[in-house]
Amino acid sequence: EGQLVESGGGLVQPGRSLRLSCTASRLTFDDHAIHWVRQPPGKGLEWVSGITWNSAAVDYADSVKGRFIVSRDNSKNSLYLQMNSLRADDTAIYYCTNLEEFWGQGTLVTVSS
Amino acid sequence: NFLLTQPPSVSESPGKTVTISCTRSSGSITTNYVQWYRQRPGSAPHTVIFDDNKRPSGVPDRFSGSIDSSSNSASLTISGLKTEDEADYYCQSYETSTVVFGGGTKLTVL
């Protein structure tokens, strides 16, 4: 069965940057649009960003537009999220998913001084 | 942007059937597919229904999805409830290129 694995989370100070990665295995990665979804502690799911299979189209939630950049490298079966100007309210578990079948296990990002 | 509204909580007994609703605030529920996710405490979400009523492989047929245009809502029905079904359930749909999630419903099986 296909699998997505996130990495790159951690503790970061407000205003700094962090880059998340999501690596796929046992699935045809370039068949799928892939999204980043986050979940703040104790709260519900929030869509962050999505990218089409060929990177032709990307989009962002208003809360991260202008600060986050999504990209992918199909040759490496990988998705990335460059997070800049991080704020305390970006603290969450970040998941990558194709929304139809595959979800990663998540990586925790904590923004705190 | 539209909202997807779910009841905060539902409860039912083992062996019974429960239905969780997801109401779209504007625009037609039939315009974009609806997905449903289950999330157990401390775990990642898991897709139980995609494209309104399809089940990923491995999801039992106790889980079913439907659309009701008259109430502009989607529903997730779980029959033959088991204690392991106790979890948070989220609906999700699309608006052009963006993604909308419902607020989630906590299902208690007691």
Side-chain angles (χ1 to χ4, degrees):
Chain A
E1 182 174 298
Q3 188 177 21
L4 297 171
V5 177
E6 303 91 341
S7 60
L11 174 64
V12 61
Q13 293 179 328
R16 305 297 291 264
S17 299
L18 203 62
R19 189 193 196 210
L20 304 184
S21 299
C22 168
T23 302
S25 59
R26 298 191 300 278
L27 65 98
T28 307
F29 185 67
D30 56 9
D31 269 357
H32 303 278
I34 305 288
H35 301 263
W36 288 101
V37 172
R38 69 185 181 184
Q39 187 170 36
K43 296 189 177 181
L45 302 176
E46 178 190 5
W47 177 75
V48 173
S49 180
I51 184 168
T52 54
W53 70 274
N54 58 357
S55 304
V58 300
D59 214 333
Y60 302 92
D62 288 344
S63 58
V64 307
K65 200 170 290 185
R67 300 188 298 123
F68 289 12
I69 301 171
V70 64
S71 61
R72 66 190 293 165
D73 184 342
N74 288 344
S75 70
K76 296 182 178 179
N77 286 344
S78 292
L79 172 77
Y80 307 102
L81 187 67
Q82 177 67 41
M83 303 188 295
N84 302 320
S85 302
L86 282 162
R87 312 186 303 219
D89 62 359
D90 295 317
T91 294
I93 298 174
Y94 284 73
Y95 299 100
C96 61
T97 173
N98 77 331
L99 292 177
E100 291 183 353
E101 186 170 4
F102 306 112
W103 286 78
Q105 85 291 347
T107 187
L108 176 62
V109 173
T110 303
V111 184
S112 174
S113 54
Chain B
N1 286 7
F2 64 87
L3 299 177
L4 294 173
T5 300
Q6 301 179 231
S9 63
V10 296
S11 62
E12 190 49 91
S13 303
K16 299 291 189 180
T17 297
V18 70
T19 297
I20 299 171
S21 62
C22 171
T23 302
R24 179 167 168 158
S25 62
S26 62
S28 173
I29 192 70
T30 63
T31 300
N32 305 97
Y33 283 130
V34 175
Q35 281 61 238
W36 289 92
Y37 310 106
R38 176 189 67 203
Q39 186 177 36
R40 294 179 174 132
S43 296
H46 177 82
T47 305
V48 293
I49 294 289
F50 69 99
D51 289 358
D52 294 343
N53 55 19
K54 298 181 174 64
R55 286 186 308 275
S57 60
V59 174
D61 60 6
R62 300 187 298 109
F63 290 81
S64 63
S66 63
I67 300 294
D68 181 356
S69 55
S70 66
S71 60
N72 212 35
S73 64
S75 293
L76 172 68
T77 298
I78 310 172
S79 60
L81 274 171
K82 302 182 177 184
T83 54
E84 68 204 47
D85 297 328
E86 188 160 291
D88 293 325
Y89 290 84
Y90 296 90
C91 61
Q92 172 266 312
S93 191
Y94 301 92
E95 181 170 31
T96 57
S97 60
T98 63
V99 173
V100 179
F101 283 95
T105 298
K106 181 176 181 60
L107 169 63
T108 302
V109 182
L110 40 64

